[in-house]
Amino acid sequence: MKRFLAILALFSLPVLLYTPGQRAVSASSNGAAVSGDCKYVALTFDDGPRADTTSVLLDGLQARGVSATFFLIGEQIPGNEGLLRRMAAEGHQIGNHTYSHAILEDAADNAIVEEIHKTEVLLTDVLGTDTYWLRPPYGMVDRARTSLIKTPMIFWSLDPEDWRVLDAEKVTDTIVHSVQPGDIILLHDFYPTSVKAALQVIDRLQPQGYEFVTVEDLFAHYGTIPVLGELYCNATTIRTW
């Protein structure tokens, strides 16, 4: 955990709303328009599962009828298989966040493949064969070697830096005041304050007409078919290198 927090500190530049280095999804992969009345957003959670905090989050999501996306660290899976089965049974999307939260940008080819594959094996053993979309740790991946990654990759468009702030009210206010339809919101179910903030965000935004869906469903609502090797900030914008 100390190593994890130390590495995070190296990449703590503000990224509340990711604006540089984006381009729109091409028309060929964005074939549907979303009504102006629709306010779809995706809550995403990194670095779990963690038995105490993730279970509380799942209880809250279930009570609110909300689906989310969980990008899981392989090292966290053993002993928490029941949480994975519950996620799948309750309609959440499950993705890959590498085995050890490794930085892929400077990793060797074989290390990139191993980090992703080890977690895929664990997910498959618990949940069966599926396409487990990847969120590279810190959103960092070497463009030249994205051909090694055989799934869609997901970045984010709204980051309240919940891991740094560790204050549920501040995180909630940041999201509520900044959110836009189509956003992919980055949170971490590893922290109790983040779990509390996520549920407060839902309670404040649902009355405003926001609907919380998985990343995969967000793409479907926008008619976007994700292309392998691209890193998506949301359903309509791709991060560029």
Side-chain angles (χ1 to χ4, degrees):
M1 184 62 184
K2 290 181 180 178
R3 179 175 65 87
F4 168 68
L5 292 175
I7 295 173
L8 274 178
L10 296 176
F11 301 98
S12 59
L13 295 176
V15 284
L16 172 60
L17 291 173
Y18 186 81
T19 52
Q22 290 186 1
R23 64 179 172 85
V25 175
S26 65
S28 62
S29 59
N30 186 18
V34 176
S35 166
D37 295 331
C38 298
K39 296 181 179 181
Y40 297 110
V41 293
L43 285 173
T44 66
F45 298 93
D46 287 7
D47 298 354
R50 175 175 167 175
D52 52 354
T53 52
T54 304
S55 59
V56 171
L57 177 59
L58 289 173
D59 289 343
L61 297 176
Q62 184 180 44
R64 292 161 174 79
V66 165
S67 297
T69 301
F70 293 84
F71 292 100
L72 306 183
I73 294 176
E75 289 180 333
Q76 296 289 113
I77 292 175
N80 288 314
E81 292 87 350
L83 286 174
L84 273 65
R85 296 187 186 97
R86 180 180 175 187
M87 288 175 189
E90 294 178 1
H92 303 295
Q93 183 179 355
I94 298 171
N96 189 332
H97 200 40
T98 74
Y99 184 76
S100 64
H101 206 268
I103 300 173
L104 302 183
E105 187 171 58
D106 299 319
D109 288 6
N110 62 340
I112 292 173
V113 172
E114 182 179 15
E115 280 284 333
I116 297 169
H117 179 67
K118 287 173 70 175
T119 298
E120 284 184 347
V121 169
L122 289 167
L123 292 172
T124 300
D125 286 347
V126 177
L127 301 172
T129 302
D130 202 347
T131 300
Y132 298 104
W133 295 12
L134 176 72
R135 172 167 281 162
Y138 316 105
M140 299 173 66
V141 62
D142 178 12
R143 174 59 166 164
R145 288 175 292 167
T146 56
S147 60
L148 299 171
I149 299 167
K150 307 303 182 182
T151 68
M153 295 186 294
I154 304 301
F155 195 68
W156 54 81
S157 55
L158 176 52
D159 176 8
E161 295 190 339
D162 58 314
W163 59 269
R164 181 181 62 82
V165 176
L166 297 177
D167 183 308
E169 303 302 329
K170 290 181 180 178
V171 171
T172 300
D173 286 343
T174 295
I175 294 173
V176 169
H177 295 152
S178 304
V179 69
Q180 298 291 328
D183 271 338
I184 294 176
I185 302 168
L186 172 62
L187 290 166
H188 300 77
D189 54 317
F190 206 85
Y191 304 105
T193 50
S194 299
V195 170
K196 183 179 179 181
L199 301 179
Q200 290 179 165
V201 165
I202 295 167
D203 291 342
R204 289 176 61 177
L205 291 182
Q206 279 184 330
Q208 298 181 30
Y210 279 89
E211 183 174 344
F212 295 87
V213 297
T214 66
V215 173
E216 188 171 14
D217 286 343
L218 184 70
F219 279 45
H221 284 301
Y222 279 84
T224 298
I225 301 173
V227 177
L228 304 188
E230 299 287 9
L231 183 58
Y232 289 83
C233 302
N234 57 33
T236 60
T237 53
I238 294 172
R239 183 182 180 187
T240 56
W241 280 263

